[in-house]
Amino acid sequence: MSVLVFIESAEGEIKKSSLEAVSYGAAVAANEGTSATAIAFGSIDEAKLKEVGKAGATKVLHVNDDRLDKGVIQAYANALTQAVEKEGAKVLVLAKSSLGDPVAARVAVKTNAALASNVAELPDTSSGFKVKRSIYTGKAFAMVELKADVKIIAIKKNAVEVKEDGGDATVETFSPELSDADFGVQITGEERQTGEILLPEADLVVSGGRGLKGPENWGMIEDLARALGAATGCSKPVSDMDWRPHHEHVGQTGVKVSPTLYVAVGISGAIQHLAGVNSSKYIVVINKDPEAPFFKAADYGIVGDAFEVVPKLTEAIKARK
Amino acid sequence: MKILVCITHVPDTTSKISFTDNNTKFDSTGVQYIIGPYDDYALARAVEIKEQTGGSVTVLNVGEAETEPTIRKALAIGADEAVRINAEPTDAFFVAKQIASHAKEGGYDMILMGRESIDFNGGQVHGMVGELLGLPALSPVMKLDIEGDTAKMAREIEGGKEFIEVKMPFVAGCQEPIAEWKIPNMRGIMSARTKPLNVVDPVDSEKPTVLENYEMPPAKGDVKMIDADNVEELVDLLKNEAKVI
Ligand SMILES: Cc1cc2nc3c(=O)[nH]c(=O)nc-3n(C[C@H](O)[C@H](O)[C@H](O)COP(=O)(O)OP(=O)(O)OC[C@H]3O[C@@H](n4cnc5c(N)ncnc54)[C@H](O)[C@@H]3O)c2cc1C
C-alpha cells in the first residue's frame, strides 16, 4: 500500500498547490508507515520530476504522453485509476482545483472511494479516518469520516506548507491504457495569464474594488502588488464591468483565496466578498469609509483615500525590502 | 433539446452560519433558503437554450419536502417540470447516484448544474454523475453554446480559460458569466403553481462519507487601526508582527 499524489502542471511547471498535496501525502504516508508516490502527466523535464522528492515523494510515475499536456479530464481520471490499482494506493491526495475537482470525482466512482474535498488539515486516524473540511464558503468546518477502502482527499489551497527537506525522487515511466473515448472532449484553445503569480495559489494578494473608480487606476494596485510580490484580485462589480478579467474576481461566486496576506483596497467587504477571503491569515483593509464592514474582518486597517494611501504604501514597502 | 438542471437548496449567501445539538446540526432558525447561486446560472442558461432551440427543461432536486418552494422558484424562472428525489442530500456520491439513476432513462441532451453547492462546496457531483453515466463532465463552465450536436464551451482554469468542444450528451458544472440570472415574473410565478412536480423515492446507494460534527473557525481578533499618514507603521507591523513581508 502507498499514498498516491496527483500532480498538476502547466507548461511543464509543477503547480505549487500540487507540491502542497505532495507534502500532505508524505505526512499521511509517514503516519501509515508507508511512502508517497506522485504521478505526473504530459511533457515535463525529468529533473523537475526528481525535484518533487524534496516535497516528500520517494517515487514519481510519469505518464509521458503529450496528449496529456492539457487537462483531458477523462483520460487523467482513467490513468489515475490505473495508477491507484497498480500501486495498491489506499489514499489519493490532490489539490482542489478546476482540474482536480472533476478528475477526483470520476476516480472516486471508478475506485468506489470516499472523497472529501476542500480539506484543511491532516487526517485524524485515531478512530477511523476523519478529515476536516472547509464548508459554507469558509464560514465553518465539518469533520467527515471516510468510510470506503480507498480514500481521496482534495486539499484546499495554501492549507498545507510545502516541505523542502526530502531528497530526489526516482522517476518511472508509467503507460496506462487509454482509449479514444478518453479523448472525446476536444480542447481547442486556451487563454492563460502569463508571467504573473496565479491568484488561486498566491501567498500574497492585493485586491481592488469599485472604490478605485475605473480600470485606468489599476496601475497603483499593480505597483503595490509588484512591490509585495503579490497577485492581483478584484471584487465582483469590478469584473462585471470588465475593468478586470473574470478570473481575478474574488469571493463567493469567484475565486476563493487563502493567502498569508490579503490587502483590500476600496472594497466594502460585502459578505459575498468576505466568503472568498475569510481563510486569509492576515487581512489589511484600506477604505475611506470608517464604517466599511471589511474593517470588522481585518487585522490591520487604514481609513483613508486609496489614491493617497496606496502610492505611499508602495514606496514604503519598496524602501524597506 | 431536452435539458436536465440539478439544483441545490441552500442558505442565502448572507446567512449567519451556526449549529445546534452539540455541533451536529445546522441551525436553520431564521435562515432563508435559495437556489444555489451557481445552479441559478445553470438554470438561466438552460432556459435561454430552450428558448432558442425548443425542447424542455426539467429541474431536479435531491431533498426533503422543505425544498419545494425552491423548486417552485425554478419552475417560475422557466423550467417546465420538476422532480424531487425524496432524500436528505448528505453525501455527494449518494446525490450523484440519485441524479444518474433519474437521468439514465430520461434521454437528456445535457445535464447542467452549478460548479458546486455553497453549503458543502464539494464540486464533485457533476463529475460523479458524468462517470456514472459514462458521459464527459466539464466544470467550471463559463460559456456554453450549442451548434448542431456539438457544445462549444469555455472552462475556467487557474489564471485563464480553456476552450472546449464536445458532442452531446454531456454534464456541465456551471458558473458565471454563462448567463444572466433570471428573476421570476408574475406570469412565471402563476404558471409554476400548476407545473408538474413529481416526488420519487431514492434508489439504494451507499454513503461513503459520514458527517461527524461541525466546527466554527476561531474568532478574529480586533482590527488594529493605523493612521493614514503613517503607512510606515503598517509596513512595520507586516514585517515584524505578522511576518508576512
Ligand atoms: C449571490 C451573490 C454573490 C456575490 N458574489 C460576490 C463575489 O464573489 N465577490 C464579490 O466581491 N462580490 C460578490 N457579490 C457582490 C457583493 O454583494 C458586493 O456588491 C460587492 O462585493 C461590492 O464590491 P465593492 O466592495 O468593490 O463595491 P462597493 O460596495 O461599491 O464598495 C466600494 C468601497 O470602496 C470605498 N471607496 C470608495 N472610494 C474610495 C477611495 N477613494 N479610497 C478608498 N476607498 C474608497 C467605499 O467606501 C466602499 O466601501 C455577490 C452578490 C450576490 C447577491
Side-chain angles (χ1 to χ4, degrees), chain A residues 98 133 249 252 300 320, chain B residues 38 119-120 155 176 236 241:
Chain A
S98 64
R133 297 190 47 204
H249 143 215
Q252 174 106 47
Y300 305 113
R320 295 282 296 277
Chain B
Y38 297 114
D119 51 5
F120 266 66
R155 188 174 83 88
E176 67 170 3
D236 264 345
E241 188 178 82

Side-chain angles (χ1 to χ4, degrees), chain A:
Chain A
M1 117 83 169
S2 76
V3 172
L4 189 67
V5 184
F6 167 49
I7 289 188
E8 286 183 51
S9 61
E11 274 137 23
E13 296 291 331
I14 291 163
K15 290 198 175 172
K16 176 183 162 238
S17 52
S18 291
L19 294 175
E20 291 168 1
V22 171
S23 291
Y24 185 101
V28 175
N31 191 35
E32 304 276 323
T34 179
S35 58
T37 297
I39 176 165
F41 296 87
S43 321
I44 310 176
D45 278 354
E46 181 156 341
K48 291 230 164 77
L49 294 173
K50 280 189 177 154
E51 271 190 42
V52 172
K54 275 203 203 146
T58 50
K59 183 167 85 176
V60 180
L61 301 176
H62 185 199
V63 188
N64 192 356
D65 180 337
D66 60 18
R67 290 176 301 172
L68 301 174
D69 285 350
K70 293 196 165 72
V72 199
I73 293 162
Q74 277 163 287
Y76 276 46
N78 192 0
L80 210 47
T81 302
Q82 292 175 45
V84 167
E85 282 157 9
K86 166 177 143 51
E87 293 292 308
K90 290 283 175 262
V91 181
L92 170 66
V93 182
L94 41 84
K96 178 170 168 67
S97 71
S98 64
L99 184 61
D101 280 350
V103 168
R106 297 196 89 101
V107 178
V109 173
K110 285 177 190 282
T111 60
N112 295 316
L115 163 57
S117 173
N118 237 355
V119 170
E121 283 177 9
L122 283 171
D124 171 0
T125 51
S126 54
S127 68
F129 191 103
K130 294 168 190 168
V131 291
K132 189 169 166 176
R133 297 190 47 204
S134 169
I135 56 168
Y136 290 107
T137 323
K139 287 188 257 182
F141 295 103
M143 284 301 283
V144 176
E145 180 165 8
L146 305 188
K147 292 270 203 187
D149 203 27
V150 176
K151 285 126 179 124
I152 305 181
I153 301 176
I155 57 168
K156 188 175 157 85
K157 283 175 185 152
N158 281 333
V160 196
E161 256 178 65
V162 180
K163 292 254 161 55
E164 288 191 334
D165 51 5
D168 275 359
T170 57
V171 178
E172 253 176 44
T173 303
F174 174 52
S175 308
E177 280 178 36
L178 297 173
S179 70
D180 287 347
D182 293 319
F183 295 92
V185 172
Q186 304 288 321
I187 300 176
T188 54
E190 193 177 271
E191 246 174 55
R192 202 183 268 277
Q193 150 203 359
T194 49
E196 287 162 56
I197 305 160
L198 284 184
L199 176 64
E201 310 205 340
D203 213 27
L204 303 164
V205 177
V206 178
S207 267
R210 191 147 55 183
L212 286 164
K213 314 279 190 274
E216 67 282 5
N217 298 323
W218 238 260
M220 71 181 191
I221 294 290
E222 282 161 341
D223 287 345
L224 176 57
R226 219 171 288 125
L228 285 166
T232 54
C234 65
S235 65
K236 180 167 149 64
V238 166
S239 69
D240 285 350
M241 292 181 293
D242 280 333
W243 296 358
R244 299 299 293 174
H246 181 264
H247 66 253
E248 285 198 5
H249 143 215
V250 171
Q252 174 106 47
T253 48
V255 179
K256 279 116 201 150
V257 295
S258 35
T260 50
L261 177 65
Y262 187 78
V263 183
V265 183
I267 302 179
S268 56
I271 194 158
Q272 297 92 350
H273 187 83
L274 291 181
V277 306
N278 53 15
S279 44
S280 308
K281 200 156 174 209
Y282 289 94
I283 295 177
V284 170
V285 168
I286 300 169
N287 197 305
K288 70 174 184 191
D289 173 9
E291 301 297 327
F294 222 145
F295 285 117
K296 288 206 182 72
D299 298 278
Y300 305 113
I302 293 183
V303 176
D305 186 339
F307 295 89
E308 287 163 25
V309 175
V310 172
K312 275 198 279 179
L313 182 60
T314 305
E315 286 316 309
I317 285 165
K318 278 195 201 150
R320 295 282 296 277
K321 269 227 149 168

Side-chain angles (χ1 to χ4, degrees), chain B residues 7 43 46 65 67:
Chain B
I7 61 168
L43 177 61
T67 72

Side-chain angles (χ1 to χ4, degrees), chain B residues 112-219:
Chain B
L112 307 184
M113 61 186 88
R115 63 176 292 181
E116 66 184 39
S117 68
I118 62 160
D119 51 5
F120 266 66
N121 306 107
Q124 305 161 14
V125 173
H126 41 74
M128 288 177 169
V129 170
E131 184 61 36
L132 286 166
L133 295 172
L135 298 179
L138 288 316
S139 175
V141 174
M142 52 197 294
K143 190 171 190 308
L144 169 62
D145 293 312
I146 306 295
E147 286 177 20
D149 63 349
T150 302
K152 296 192 169 179
M153 306 181 187
R155 188 174 83 88
E156 182 155 317
I157 55 175
E158 280 72 12
K161 51 186 149 177
E162 190 176 81
F163 302 99
I164 289 169
E165 286 184 24
V166 63
K167 292 252 185 287
M168 289 190 280
F170 61 86
V171 182
C174 305
Q175 70 167 35
E176 67 170 3
I178 197 166
E180 291 271 351
W181 281 357
K182 297 200 177 342
I183 296 161
N185 57 26
M186 201 30 102
R187 221 179 96 223
I189 294 167
M190 296 307 287
S191 67
R193 291 189 187 155
T194 54
K195 287 179 180 172
L197 194 171
N198 303 310
V199 180
V200 298
D201 285 331
V203 293
D204 268 349
S205 162
E206 62 267 49
K207 293 181 177 173
T209 63
V210 177
L211 181 104
E212 283 266 303
N213 61 283
Y214 297 103
E215 259 178 54
M216 293 302 287

